[in-house]
Amino acid sequence: MAHGTMMDHSMFMPQVSALKDRYRVVSYDQRARTPAYDTPYFLRDLAEDCRALLDDLGIGKCVLLGMSMGGFMATEFIRLYPDRVNALVFVGSQIGTYSESEQAARLIEFQKFDHDGTVSLPLARQTASYIFGRHTLQDKADTVDHWAHRWAELPARSVLREAESWLGKADYTAVARRFEKPVLVIHGEDDAVLPVDEKTGAMERAFTNVEVVRIPRSGHVVNLEAPVRTNEVLSTFLDRLKDEGKLSL
């Protein structure tokens, strides 16, 4: 399980708790949450980090789950190492590229993190108001507050470096078309970061063996905003793969 921008391995705690008794679950911190955060890197570097982790753990093949930026890394991973993956799971992610205007607009926002020290709490709260869906902001204030305070502990430039790793990402549609193994897409219907209709539609058209689940009353961080439903969908997907003999256990 590979996390998204500003997040860390703990964002998958609800999924780890739900699955750990039946599956080997690995949730890890990508480079931005390590001392190497301020060295420029790209998605290929993150994919190589993932491969090295699998090698170190003695995992030949896996079901690779990526949330947002983690999904961007996952598409780069299957470009490089398709034989290491039994299936893919995307959580609030996409396979397309960003236009020049989109890159410029996002870079303006991420340049707010280009300073010494940690992320300010006001900026963390502003980010939370965009990343989490409106229902979560209204009904799950404790969850939002937890992550805003967690983000306020991050080195600010670690967030900028994360964004720089994927802002110029390639369009992985051709990679997706070559990937014939099972794919699960979980996306919040209120996702303001990656709008559900546009992003899931592109995945449905590109992957040959794909299931898309849209979860209502959830934004970009759907696995935290709707953990029960996410766990149900993910468990069903994994159990089916296991029954069909498509998992390396």
Side-chain angles (χ1 to χ4, degrees):
M1 296 183 174
H3 62 78
T5 302
M6 297 186 75
M7 309 301 285
D8 60 54
H9 74 279
S10 70
M11 74 168 297
F12 297 115
M13 285 181 62
Q15 287 69 56
V16 173
S17 296
L19 298 171
K20 65 181 181 180
D21 290 339
R22 293 177 293 134
Y23 297 98
R24 183 182 186 185
V25 187
V26 178
S27 173
Y28 72 100
D29 285 339
Q30 297 201 81
R31 195 172 293 200
R33 304 288 87 83
T34 75
Y37 72 84
D38 203 20
T39 301
Y41 57 88
F42 300 95
L43 292 178
R44 177 159 189 159
D45 299 306
L46 297 181
E48 294 293 354
D49 290 345
C50 182
R51 178 201 54 77
L53 176 62
L54 293 176
D55 290 348
D56 288 345
L57 295 175
I59 299 173
K61 295 185 178 182
C62 69
V63 175
L64 185 56
L65 181 153
M67 183 270 163
S68 194
M69 178 187 77
F72 305 163
M73 183 283 296
T75 47
E76 175 67 4
F77 190 92
I78 63 168
R79 183 184 75 83
L80 297 169
Y81 305 109
D83 293 339
R84 301 292 298 269
V85 179
N86 286 314
L88 276 178
V89 181
F90 292 97
V91 177
S93 196
Q94 70 157 342
I95 59 172
T97 190
Y98 290 98
S99 68
E100 290 186 4
S101 61
E102 288 174 324
Q103 290 182 47
R106 282 167 170 77
L107 185 58
I108 289 172
E109 293 302 312
F110 280 107
Q111 282 174 338
K112 296 175 182 178
F113 298 91
D114 189 12
H115 62 80
D116 295 335
T118 58
V119 176
S120 70
L121 185 57
L123 181 54
R125 291 191 185 281
Q126 177 186 344
T127 304
S129 70
Y130 177 58
I131 288 179
F132 289 100
R134 63 184 187 276
H135 295 289
T136 302
L137 294 170
Q138 294 170 2
D139 303 334
K140 298 183 178 180
D142 288 348
T143 297
V144 177
D145 195 57
H146 166 82
W147 283 100
H149 279 86
R150 199 169 185 90
W151 296 338
E153 299 173 353
L154 298 177
R157 286 202 181 89
S158 73
V159 180
L160 176 63
R161 296 292 177 252
E162 282 181 298
E164 290 174 338
S165 76
W166 53 257
L167 271 175
K169 69 185 290 292
D171 185 335
Y172 287 93
T173 300
V175 174
R177 286 174 178 156
R178 293 194 298 269
F179 188 79
E180 298 179 349
K181 298 171 186 176
V183 176
L184 172 64
V185 176
I186 303 173
H187 214 101
E189 288 191 346
D190 297 334
D191 191 335
V193 178
L194 296 173
V196 61
D197 290 335
E198 175 187 351
K199 304 309 178 184
T200 62
M203 292 185 183
E204 284 183 300
R205 291 188 294 272
F207 287 108
T208 59
N209 184 4
V210 60
E211 174 187 0
V212 175
V213 178
R214 300 163 52 134
I215 299 183
R217 301 178 65 86
S218 299
H220 190 52
V221 199
V222 59
N223 69 295
L224 286 173
E225 299 183 58
V228 173
R229 179 60 180 146
T230 298
N231 292 347
E232 290 174 350
V233 172
L234 186 54
S235 294
T236 299
F237 180 71
L238 293 174
D239 290 346
R240 184 170 68 246
L241 294 179
K242 181 179 178 182
D243 292 342
E244 294 173 353
K246 295 179 181 178
L247 290 187
S248 298
L249 298 175

